[in-house]
Amino acid sequence: LLYEKMTGTAAPAPAANPFSDTTNPQILKAANLGIVGGVGGGKFAPNNNVTRQEIAVMLLRTLKTVMPNISTTAEFKTQFQDVNSIDSWALEAVNFMNAYDIIRGSTVDGVSYMLPKGNTTKEQAIALVLRMYNAFNKL
């Protein structure tokens, strides 16, 4: 839906469902755009939780689909104590999302953590999508 709101066009559905465990049209459109890829073996795992690093990757893929020429080179705005816990496949996305204040992490006793493998709540996901829309929709 973020793609559709930012482009003003309907996301195309795939010709065939790549997943055996979901028929959700939003998931299928996101897969067709390359925003999500599932867990392998033709499965999406729609009931799995989404980690913070996974949502960062999905948001960056969405932005790259909407704005293919955007530079995603960025520096962390926050010095996360657990930066080494971010998987290499997610580092660019987490870095970018933090640099643009989309993902801010968590602070415990004055120390900042990304908690990249922590689950993203529905409320957090809504806040992230709204921040992304507000930050990049007018560009």
Side-chain angles (χ1 to χ4, degrees), residues 36-71:
V36 299
V39 296
K43 303 273 186 196
F44 181 75
N47 296 317
N48 283 8
N49 291 321
V50 176
T51 66
R52 292 177 177 201
Q53 66 183 3
E54 289 169 340
I55 199 164
V57 169
M58 289 185 278
L59 289 171
L60 187 58
R61 287 178 182 166
T62 302
L63 187 61
K64 286 180 174 181
T65 301
V66 171
M67 305 170 74
N69 297 322
I70 191 166
S71 172

Side-chain angles (χ1 to χ4, degrees), residues 52 78 80 82 94 97-98 101-108 111-116 124 128 131:
R52 292 177 177 201
T78 306
F80 295 118
D82 57 351
V94 173
M97 292 299 143
N98 179 247
D101 229 11
I102 308 299
I103 292 179
R104 299 177 183 141
S106 298
T107 303
V108 178
V111 179
S112 296
Y113 296 93
M114 174 55 203
L115 305 172
Q124 288 169 335
L128 295 174
R131 286 182 200 147

Side-chain angles (χ1 to χ4, degrees), residues 8-21:
T9 61
N17 185 345
F19 306 118
S20 62
D21 59 349

Side-chain angles (χ1 to χ4, degrees), residues 73-85:
T73 302
E75 296 291 327
F76 277 111
K77 186 174 186 177
T78 306
Q79 297 302 316
F80 295 118
Q81 295 301 305
D82 57 351
V83 71
N84 292 331
S85 297

